[in-house]
Amino acid sequence: MITLAVDCMGGDAGPRVTLPACKKFLDAHPDARLLVVGQPEALQSFQHERATLVAASEVVTMDDPVEVALRKKKDSSMRVAISQVKEGAAQVAVSAGNTGALMAIARYLLKTLEGIDRPAIATQIPHAKGGATTVLDLGANVDCTAEHLVQFAVMGSALVSALQEKENPSVGLLNIGEEAIKGSEVIKRAGELLRAAGQSGYLNFQGNVEGNDIFKGTVDIVTCDGFVGNVALKASEGVASMITGGLKQEFKRNLFTKLAAAVAYPVLARLMKRMDHRRYNGAALLGLRGLVFKSHGSADVVAYEHALNRAYDAARNDLLGRVQTKIQTAAPLLMPADSPAVAATVTSSI
Amino acid sequence: MITLAVDCMGGDAGPRVTLPACKKFLDAHPDARLLVVGQPEALQSFQHERATLVAASEVVTMDDPVEVALRKKKDSSMRVAISQVKEGAAQVAVSAGNTGALMAIARYLLKTLEGIDRPAIATQIPHAKGGATTVLDLGANVDCTAEHLVQFAVMGSALVSALQEKENPSVGLLNIGEEAIKGSEVIKRAGELLRAAGQSGYLNFQGNVEGNDIFKGTVDIVTCDGFVGNVALKASEGVASMITGGLKQEFKRNLFTKLAAAVAYPVLARLMKRMDHRRYNGAALLGLRGLVFKSHGSADVVAYEHALNRAYDAARNDLLGRVQTKIQTAAPLLMPADSPAVAATVTSSI
């Protein structure tokens, strides 16, 4: 039996999306149980033999500063859901709430794993070959050292092995050129460490990759600073919505184009389905002593159900154990990033 | 009369693309002259009353390391073209060659402007409103200080005022959230400096923007570190080609989809034209004591002609003078980024 603790209040639509998704998820997974966390009056309509209501009196809003979420709202649905994981009542928590608050609360309650300085956020991005590239970090860490980038690579490898059942997934370092001499000092040093890890067999490192490789599907995992990852992801979303918005506009232009749209619709729908990012909803918070998954705040029922599926798969395939094993195996690589030798390297990179 | 020095050997296709583009450009601009630079045997077929052949015996290849381009190939078409600007024989140089080599040679020959620590590469990216966002830096500078980001904003403002005839273009700072507290220490400090510049009227600063804002057209100019700018640009190109590649694949699937493609073609062609990045070919190297434009290496004749048009517009609208005036006006903001006070700020950000 796998138990998920679900923050049913989080996300733009709250229980209107989370509850129907929970229902579908439970129907599809006979070996799953849910702890449905939130304000009882909002959740009381939800009844399922494998669901238990866990009351939480407060809700973290999208605009709440991290400090408010962490220090004031101690009975928030987000926090109570994560507490279930801490206390062992659930194997994984899921929330569509405020990312900054979720990471802060998760880090505070669960603590980071030994060998990891900073937890990271990893998500899958669909690529042209039909699969998805796992990218991390996506915004939890804005000033990364070379060692952090190696830690992300190790955690990303564990994630892909757990969710996609690939034993030795390939890793690329996001850079501005394929050549090893490209990039900042931090990136060059990360490249050296990753090459060493590849040679020792700790990681399947394939070298530098560029922004477009995320969408080509060149490697399974792309490791990058959270600032760069976040900008790349949002820029990509921007292009995609510009193109789909433009398509809609052009097809609505006049009677002829509307007819053309009707004819082209099945073809376009097939493409949209193939590239539907909802299928990849559910980002993992990695590097913590417990599993937490983040759904897009704007997720609909389909997308939210996918986030629940991913969290379930991660728990069932022992993501936490895999991350820990990977970290232990790769321990020689994961020296603390704040050691004096490393600090010196970083300072000299400016 | 505006004179452009054109490195006709640069780019993936060399003279096969550059010469027909030069011909079209000259026919469209009766007040323009070209210095057609390259190996005489490759260019001798080109005849035009307003074109002069300038011989250069060597060619910088796409794979040449910067040092080779700079120190060994002293008679390269790229270098000879830039020399024409230095000597006053041309107002602007254009090349589709190796970007790293172009920047290094341009910097070596032309030197940077007073008040600018590092030249930057700026390009226009089409946005959903039908115009284009000017983004810089795109890869010349991978470890930027807050002051560099301000310098980019100043140079970008001069570029937009010269090319788009907007007197007070708006500037955004690329970040991972709109709130001023987001981002690394360098970014936060850049935000403070830019806000101060906005309050003093030196710049029309609109605050932080995110990756998707580039494609929404939220501001005229987006300033960012070259690493982030390069990754965002390439990631965006990656999404765009994934979507267009997917469309082609789906439309080719069977007889019905091929028919649908025939019906939808005029609509799709209109969209493609609207978003055609060739119209925006021609990145400016800013911050030098002379004008240099860079075309995409893979440019076709249409794209290359656009790069020539942009270089011509920049020269005609006195981009160099505008950059210099902007820098002088904003001098109080542009204190050298390597001063001890700044270095301390930067070090503490790690």
Side-chain angles (χ1 to χ4, degrees):
Chain A
M1 210 67 166
I2 305 286
T3 308
L4 286 73
V6 185
D7 164 16
C8 287
M9 310 304 290
D12 300 347
R16 266 195 304 125
V17 156
T18 58
L19 294 182
C22 284
K23 170 83 171 66
K24 288 183 152 205
F25 170 80
L26 282 169
D27 291 346
H29 295 88
D31 67 335
R33 281 181 61 234
L34 293 185
L35 303 179
V36 173
V37 185
Q39 293 167 321
E41 61 279 18
L43 308 182
Q44 62 194 1
S45 67
F46 191 74
Q47 297 286 338
H48 197 286
E49 50 175 14
R50 282 179 279 115
T52 312
L53 177 76
V54 177
S57 59
E58 293 169 300
V59 177
V60 172
T61 68
M62 288 299 188
D63 303 322
D64 274 338
V66 167
E67 308 77 57
V68 170
L70 193 61
R71 317 229 176 271
K72 307 266 175 190
K73 296 188 170 177
K74 293 200 175 169
D75 196 39
S76 71
S77 55
M78 189 184 270
R79 184 163 178 157
V80 172
I82 298 172
S83 304
Q84 305 304 308
V85 175
K86 188 185 177 184
E87 291 159 13
Q91 284 105 309
V92 57
V94 180
S95 174
N98 184 328
T99 311
L102 185 67
M103 181 54 102
I105 295 173
R107 198 170 172 173
Y108 176 75
L109 289 180
L110 300 173
K111 313 298 177 204
T112 44
L113 286 167
E114 205 170 320
I116 296 297
D117 297 307
R118 301 189 188 177
I121 302 175
T123 200
Q124 288 195 307
I125 298 179
H127 61 55
K129 290 181 188 165
T133 307
T134 296
V135 183
L136 72 167
D137 175 49
L138 288 171
N141 306 288
V142 292
D143 273 314
C144 292
T145 65
E147 286 73 15
H148 294 144
L149 295 170
V150 178
Q151 293 173 13
F152 299 163
V154 170
M155 296 193 289
S157 297
L159 181 67
V160 171
S161 77
L163 291 182
Q164 292 165 250
E165 291 169 33
K166 272 198 183 179
E167 268 322 302
N168 200 21
S170 56
V171 174
L173 173 65
L174 191 59
N175 203 338
I176 59 170
E178 283 175 20
E179 309 81 1
I181 55 146
K182 291 272 185 176
S184 64
E185 293 306 316
V186 169
I187 293 290
K188 281 186 235 174
R189 169 100 178 112
E192 282 169 25
L193 295 176
L194 287 164
R195 265 189 298 283
Q199 279 152 9
S200 335
Y202 294 126
L203 285 172
N204 176 6
F205 181 58
Q206 297 291 317
N208 289 339
V209 295
E210 300 186 68
N212 50 346
D213 287 302
I214 296 171
F215 300 92
K216 280 189 190 169
T218 310
V219 289
D220 295 312
I221 297 135
V222 170
T223 177
C224 59
D225 180 293
F227 191 95
V228 178
N230 186 286
V231 168
L233 183 68
K234 287 185 182 155
S236 311
E237 289 172 354
V239 180
S241 40
M242 179 172 76
I243 297 178
T244 50
L247 267 175
K248 279 184 196 156
Q249 242 178 35
E250 290 298 339
F251 275 120
K252 276 187 188 158
R253 192 172 286 275
N254 57 42
L255 190 62
F256 168 75
T257 60
K258 283 179 190 164
L259 275 170
V263 176
Y265 180 78
V267 188
L268 296 175
R270 219 185 131 95
L271 179 69
M272 290 302 160
K273 193 175 167 191
R274 226 172 83 187
M275 297 185 181
D276 190 351
H277 58 82
R278 294 181 303 175
R279 288 195 296 142
Y280 297 99
N281 187 37
L285 273 55
L286 294 172
L288 300 164
R289 297 173 193 266
L291 294 181
V292 180
F293 273 75
K294 163 77 177 82
S295 158
H296 234 287
S298 63
D300 61 12
V301 175
V302 173
Y304 200 82
E305 194 193 345
H306 276 288
L308 294 173
N309 289 342
R310 292 176 66 73
Y312 166 85
D313 285 341
R316 196 171 50 100
N317 295 329
D318 190 24
L319 173 58
L320 194 59
R322 285 179 196 247
V323 171
Q324 279 172 315
T325 310
K326 272 269 179 197
I327 292 170
Q328 278 158 12
T329 320
L333 297 171
L334 302 175
M335 52 177 176
D338 303 323
S339 70
V342 177
T345 311
V346 173
T347 309
S348 73
S349 78
I350 302 295
Chain B
M1 209 67 165
I2 304 285
T3 307
L4 286 73
V6 185
D7 164 14
C8 288
M9 310 304 290
D12 300 347
R16 266 195 303 126
V17 157
T18 58
L19 294 183
C22 283
K23 170 81 171 69
K24 287 182 152 204
F25 170 80
L26 282 169
D27 290 346
H29 296 88
D31 67 335
R33 281 181 61 235
L34 292 184
L35 303 178
V36 173
V37 185
Q39 293 166 319
E41 60 279 18
L43 308 182
Q44 62 194 4
S45 67
F46 191 74
Q47 298 286 341
H48 197 289
E49 50 175 14
R50 282 179 278 115
T52 311
L53 177 75
V54 177
S57 60
E58 292 169 300
V59 177
V60 173
T61 69
M62 287 300 189
D63 304 322
D64 274 339
V66 168
E67 308 76 58
V68 170
L70 193 60
R71 317 227 176 272
K72 307 265 176 189
K73 296 189 170 175
K74 294 201 174 168
D75 195 38
S76 71
S77 55
M78 189 183 269
R79 183 161 178 157
V80 171
I82 297 172
S83 303
Q84 305 305 308
V85 175
K86 188 185 177 185
E87 291 159 12
Q91 283 105 310
V92 57
V94 180
S95 174
N98 183 328
T99 312
L102 186 68
M103 181 55 103
I105 294 173
R107 198 170 170 173
Y108 175 76
L109 290 181
L110 300 174
K111 314 297 178 206
T112 45
L113 286 167
E114 203 169 324
I116 297 296
D117 297 308
R118 301 190 188 178
I121 302 175
T123 199
Q124 287 195 306
I125 298 178
H127 61 56
K129 291 182 187 164
T133 307
T134 295
V135 182
L136 73 168
D137 175 48
L138 289 171
N141 305 287
V142 292
D143 273 313
C144 292
T145 65
E147 287 73 14
H148 295 145
L149 295 169
V150 178
Q151 294 173 13
F152 299 164
V154 170
M155 296 192 289
S157 297
L159 180 67
V160 171
S161 76
L163 291 183
Q164 292 165 246
E165 292 168 31
K166 273 197 182 180
E167 269 322 301
N168 200 20
S170 56
V171 174
L173 172 64
L174 192 58
N175 203 339
I176 59 171
E178 283 175 20
E179 310 82 0
I181 56 147
K182 290 272 185 176
S184 64
E185 293 306 314
V186 169
I187 292 290
K188 282 186 233 174
R189 168 98 178 114
E192 282 169 25
L193 294 176
L194 287 164
R195 267 189 298 283
Q199 279 152 11
S200 335
Y202 294 126
L203 285 171
N204 176 6
F205 181 59
Q206 298 291 316
N208 289 338
V209 294
E210 299 187 69
N212 50 346
D213 287 302
I214 296 171
F215 300 93
K216 281 190 189 166
T218 310
V219 289
D220 295 311
I221 297 134
V222 170
T223 177
C224 60
D225 180 294
F227 192 95
V228 178
N230 187 288
V231 169
L233 183 67
K234 287 186 183 156
S236 311
E237 289 172 354
V239 180
S241 40
M242 179 173 77
I243 298 179
T244 50
L247 267 175
K248 278 184 197 156
Q249 241 177 35
E250 291 299 338
F251 275 121
K252 276 187 189 159
R253 193 172 285 274
N254 57 41
L255 191 64
F256 168 75
T257 60
K258 282 179 190 165
L259 276 169
V263 176
Y265 181 78
V267 187
L268 296 175
R270 219 186 131 95
L271 179 68
M272 290 303 158
K273 192 175 168 191
R274 224 172 85 186
M275 296 184 181
D276 191 350
H277 59 82
R278 294 181 304 175
R279 287 195 296 142
Y280 298 99
N281 186 37
L285 273 55
L286 294 172
L288 300 165
R289 298 174 192 265
L291 295 181
V292 180
F293 274 74
K294 163 77 176 84
S295 158
H296 235 287
S298 64
D300 61 10
V301 175
V302 173
Y304 201 83
E305 194 194 343
H306 277 289
L308 294 174
N309 289 342
R310 292 175 66 71
Y312 165 86
D313 285 341
R316 198 172 48 101
N317 296 329
D318 190 24
L319 173 58
L320 194 60
R322 285 179 195 248
V323 171
Q324 279 172 314
T325 309
K326 272 269 179 198
I327 292 170
Q328 278 158 11
T329 320
L333 299 171
L334 302 175
M335 51 177 176
D338 302 323
S339 70
V342 177
T345 312
V346 174
T347 309
S348 73
S349 78
I350 303 294

